[in-house]
Amino acid sequence: MASTRRRKGDSRMIRYIVLGSWALFCLAPVLWFLSIGFRPRTEIITPQPIYFPTFSLDAWHMIWSDWPMAAYLRNSVLAILGSVVIDLVLAIPAAYSLARFRYRGREDIGFYILSTRMMAPAIVAIPIFFLFRNMGLLDTIWALMLIYAAINLSVVTWIIRSYMLDIPKELEDAARTDGASDLRILWEIIIPACLPGIITAGVIAAIFAINEFLFTLLIASTKNAYTMSVALANFTGGSDGVIYNAIALVAFLAFVPVFVVVVAIQKHLSRGLTMGAVKG
Amino acid sequence: MARIELSGIQKRWGAVWGVRDVNIDIADEELIVFLGPSGCGKTTTMRMIAGLEDPTEGEVRMDGEVMNDIDARDRDVAMVFQGYALYPNMSIYENIRFPLRMRDVPKSEHDRLVREAADMVELGDFLDRKPGALSGGQRQRAALARAIVRQPQVFLMDEPLSNLDAKLRQAMRVQIKHLQRQLKITTVYVTHDQIEAMTLADRIVIMEGGLIQQIGTPDEIYSDPANTFVAGFIGAPPMNLIEGRIQSGTFVSDGITLPGTGITDRDSVTLGVRPEDCSVADSGHLAGQVYGVEPTGDQTFLTLRIGARLIEVKADRDYRSDLDVTETVAFDPGRLYFFDTGSGQRIR
């Protein structure tokens, strides 16, 4: 008995070591960023290794005092939230239709939606610039919301559709015989049942949006619409050269909100809400 | 309470036939069971009554009114599904209340109706739970409560017990029959389980290949089967079907000679005899070697081998035997069935 117990303890220890190393490996870039961000500029660019780094808030003060970082942060958050809302409002009914109703050209429409993702963004960059200029939306958050939503709509639709396909058809039949209309079924049965999928799709859309660079650079020209991702570019040019510690801090600031959101909703990111609906 | 008529119902998906020709008149307050193997069209027929499928041809009428163009949600039917189909995000209370909300039943009535329905299926203590926190039997009772809460014109039950274990199934069967009698609601019940069909039904509709094979009371189906399909489908173990021919009124097959059948001579005839109408006797109609003995407690089934054929016989409950012992079997001459081998139809 004693030997079995010891072996179990050993295997648990190994598990912790493996998982701990993996966690360290995944978190290393974040820690590295923090270490760069809170060191003086001179120390970052020396080729010799530094074993006892100096702590410095220079870069931190600089990004808030020399740059309108609060405006960038606000623009990012508003544009991303807006685009996710637009995506979900459009994608949920579209996904339901693609998942459940039979009509001519359904597969083609599905493929068409997905194909918007296959195009290199640069191809449509110029037309989109003129489109927004004519609409008077250049350098506004509204334009960012629309373009982020357009970029992510296909992915969001397809993720939600795949979750909806997993919902047993019996649930809808039951709701229909209980007297529910198609819209009531979507609202009261389907959306709650595929909530994990909707949340997953929303998070993925938000991550894509926060990383978007090309269209943002095209649309934004002042702090009215500059986002974190474009702000980063401000630290690579100009008379000061590449300001690595400021870049590291801005990148970290852009990372934190996504990290917080993902940790907060991680239990919804796994499937399992349909458990108990049908025998499983 | 409603009378349902199906006339000339067909269902086809492209080249695939679901239902070929179904004509049934279901009386008010009747409990009718559609019985057949999977793919026979029984569930499709039920779904057409519910309005979840449109018939390709034919008419569905309720109380004389043609329902073909009426949407499922406007037909006053309630359905219980094989997989229960409880809404996973709602509590049991909200599940049972859902049809009341959808059908604009006054809000003040909801609580009373939900609790009455839950009490009827003894689920009153579980109203706060989510479906995932209930056992299979409780979930099925919750599905039943959701169906009975608004007192529909028609109940449709699609294999509601097939996910439950045997003991629970028996208890639920009694409960469903009791509820149906109490509420006096016309009920269509689909199953592939002949015991469920026999015990529940006022009438059984036996289906195969999208066609009705026979409609009748359980007694009629059991003791007066219309063809070899019905004969072989009903009864456990099933009826013995022995192919042979009639010569001068005598049925002749390998190892069997059965005089006095009263049937004119023909070359291909199938004799049907139920295991329970056979007995081990000192002298009888056929002799074979013991192939297997299956005691079930209250009865014992004996399988005999005659040439290449196996015959099932119900023996005394304490009958025991070694293998390969020769036994003689006598048939009950009043309970023999003859069928035309080619068409499978009964010869009367």
Side-chain angles (χ1 to χ4, degrees):
Chain A
M1 273 321 284
S3 66
T4 344
R5 258 204 302 274
R6 194 158 59 234
R7 207 173 304 142
K8 267 188 181 166
D10 286 352
S11 82
R12 182 174 298 172
M13 176 93 88
I14 292 169
R15 208 182 307 162
Y16 280 131
I17 291 172
V18 169
L19 291 177
S21 320
W22 179 245
L24 198 67
F25 179 76
C26 293
L27 287 173
V30 180
L31 299 175
W32 190 38
F33 260 54
L34 279 177
S35 103
I36 293 175
F38 291 110
R39 273 192 284 165
R41 250 186 113 188
T42 46
E43 204 172 280
I44 302 164
I45 49 177
T46 69
Q48 282 82 32
I50 293 167
Y51 298 106
F52 301 100
T54 329
F55 180 79
S56 149
L57 285 172
D58 288 354
W60 180 256
H61 291 308
M62 188 191 104
I63 60 170
W64 294 103
S65 60
D66 296 1
W67 303 91
M69 200 48 63
Y72 299 161
L73 203 58
R74 183 203 63 203
N75 292 345
S76 283
V77 169
L78 288 181
I80 288 162
L81 286 182
S83 76
V84 170
V85 168
I86 294 172
D87 273 337
L88 293 182
V89 167
L90 295 177
I92 289 170
Y96 184 49
S97 161
L98 289 171
R100 279 295 189 259
F101 297 106
R102 299 180 157 272
Y103 44 85
R104 186 191 289 265
R106 180 179 70 162
E107 296 304 315
D108 299 331
I109 292 172
F111 182 76
Y112 168 72
I113 291 175
L114 197 62
S115 72
T116 60
R117 192 78 200 173
M118 299 173 187
M119 193 163 31
I123 297 172
V124 289
I126 304 298
I128 282 189
F129 177 80
F130 283 111
L131 185 71
F132 281 129
R133 195 190 61 181
N134 293 343
M135 291 165 76
L137 288 178
L138 280 185
D139 203 26
T140 63
I141 301 175
W142 306 110
L144 297 181
M145 283 183 197
L146 288 174
I147 195 72
Y148 294 165
I151 293 169
N152 290 324
L153 187 58
S154 58
V155 173
V156 173
T157 306
W158 274 77
I159 292 173
I160 296 176
R161 173 182 168 273
S162 74
Y163 273 80
M164 284 179 174
L165 285 175
D166 285 351
I167 297 173
K169 188 85 173 52
E170 271 192 351
L171 277 185
E172 284 171 64
D173 288 342
R176 195 156 283 130
T177 48
D178 279 345
S181 64
D182 285 336
L183 274 180
R184 287 297 278 272
I185 292 173
L186 176 63
W187 187 247
E188 297 217 24
I189 310 295
I190 304 295
I191 291 181
C194 66
L195 204 57
I198 292 172
I199 291 172
T200 307
V203 168
I204 289 175
I207 291 172
F208 280 152
I210 209 167
N211 287 328
E212 210 290 324
F213 182 77
L214 176 71
F215 288 105
T216 314
L217 188 65
L218 204 68
I219 289 163
S221 48
T222 68
K223 68 169 188 173
N224 284 340
Y226 264 21
T227 62
M228 301 291 279
S229 66
V230 174
L232 275 174
N234 286 334
F235 302 103
T236 57
S239 51
D240 287 339
V242 182
I243 315 166
Y244 288 110
N245 48 1
I247 291 177
L249 281 183
V250 175
F252 183 72
L253 284 177
F255 158 81
V256 168
V258 180
F259 181 74
V260 169
V261 168
V262 170
V263 168
I265 60 170
Q266 62 173 337
K267 84 177 165 100
H268 294 285
L269 287 173
S270 58
R271 298 188 180 214
L273 256 183
T274 52
M275 207 183 75
V278 290
K279 188 183 164 72
Chain B
M1 321 309 112
R3 174 172 166 228
I4 306 168
E5 294 154 86
L6 304 180
S7 49
I9 293 287
Q10 295 181 7
K11 179 68 187 181
R12 207 174 37 206
W13 295 275
V16 181
W17 284 93
V19 174
R20 282 172 191 274
D21 183 24
V22 165
N23 296 281
I24 316 171
D25 201 340
I26 302 168
D28 188 17
E29 297 182 21
E30 185 172 12
L31 199 170
I32 199 156
V33 175
F34 290 0
L35 176 66
S38 34
C40 72
K42 55 192 193 300
T43 296
T44 307
T45 307
M46 165 177 281
R47 289 175 64 85
M48 288 190 280
I49 299 175
L52 296 170
E53 301 279 356
D54 294 324
T56 314
E57 292 287 334
E59 274 183 355
V60 178
R61 284 191 293 271
M62 284 185 200
D63 282 336
E65 189 191 349
V66 178
M67 304 302 279
N68 289 37
D69 293 330
I70 295 183
D71 201 76
R73 66 188 164 112
D74 298 319
R75 300 186 189 189
D76 198 3
V77 302
M79 195 156 166
V80 178
F81 295 83
Q82 178 176 5
Y84 322 136
L86 294 171
Y87 311 127
N89 51 303
M90 301 180 197
S91 65
I92 297 303
Y93 184 93
E94 284 303 323
N95 262 282
I96 301 174
R97 183 169 160 241
F98 188 78
L100 303 177
R101 284 202 290 128
M102 292 304 121
R103 294 194 187 254
D104 297 327
V105 175
K107 261 206 172 122
S108 52
E109 296 280 285
H110 288 189
D111 192 61
R112 182 180 61 81
L113 290 170
V114 168
R115 286 178 196 284
E116 272 177 17
D119 287 341
M120 247 185 248
V121 296
E122 295 145 34
L123 217 56
D125 296 337
F126 298 93
L127 289 172
D128 298 334
R129 303 247 189 120
K130 288 276 175 71
L134 297 188
S135 70
Q138 289 166 334
R139 285 184 213 174
Q140 194 50 280
R141 295 213 300 271
L144 265 179
R146 187 176 64 186
I148 60 183
V149 70
R150 63 187 167 86
Q151 304 262 332
Q153 298 272 316
V154 177
F155 273 151
L156 302 175
M157 303 199 183
D158 185 9
E159 311 224 9
L161 305 184
S162 55
N163 283 347
L164 303 179
D165 63 54
K167 204 173 160 191
L168 205 51
R169 205 179 303 169
Q170 199 270 338
M172 287 293 295
R173 216 162 59 204
V174 177
Q175 192 165 25
I176 287 177
K177 190 165 185 175
H178 180 82
L179 277 174
Q180 197 270 341
R181 290 284 184 269
Q182 193 181 359
L183 299 167
K184 299 188 193 317
I185 292 174
T186 314
T187 302
V188 180
Y189 188 106
V190 162
T191 183
H192 62 263
D193 182 303
Q194 48 152 330
I195 303 292
E196 270 175 40
M198 296 295 281
T199 51
L200 282 171
D202 291 322
R203 280 191 302 160
I204 297 176
V205 178
I206 296 205
M207 293 185 70
E208 158 69 358
L211 289 168
I212 293 178
Q213 302 294 322
Q214 189 171 359
I215 305 179
T217 63
D219 287 342
E220 285 166 359
I221 298 274
Y222 180 80
S223 48
D224 196 11
N227 55 40
T228 47
F229 178 80
V230 175
F233 199 76
I234 291 285
M239 186 184 278
N240 296 299
L241 295 169
I242 305 162
E243 286 173 24
R245 62 186 190 280
I246 304 274
Q247 266 176 347
S248 336
T250 300
F251 176 82
V252 186
S253 181
D254 289 346
I256 304 173
T257 310
L258 201 67
T261 59
I263 294 174
T264 49
D265 290 5
R266 46 169 87 208
D267 281 340
S268 58
V269 168
T270 300
L271 164 68
V273 56
R274 293 198 182 278
E276 48 272 43
D277 299 326
C278 305
S279 51
V280 179
D282 294 337
S283 70
H285 298 99
L286 64 84
Q289 286 73 48
V290 174
Y291 181 78
V293 178
E294 298 168 283
T296 65
D298 60 336
Q299 52 197 1
T300 299
F301 289 101
L302 162 68
T303 309
L304 287 182
R305 185 169 54 205
I306 301 126
R309 181 178 293 133
L310 294 177
I311 302 279
E312 198 82 22
V313 175
K314 185 180 165 189
D316 286 343
R317 61 185 282 180
D318 17 300
Y319 174 89
R320 297 291 182 273
S321 169
D322 292 328
L323 297 188
D324 295 324
V325 174
T326 302
E327 286 283 12
T328 313
V329 169
F331 299 149
D332 177 347
R335 294 187 184 276
L336 300 179
Y337 307 92
F338 292 95
F339 304 92
D340 180 76
T341 305
S343 67
Q345 294 304 310
R346 180 91 173 271
I347 302 165
R348 291 170 193 273

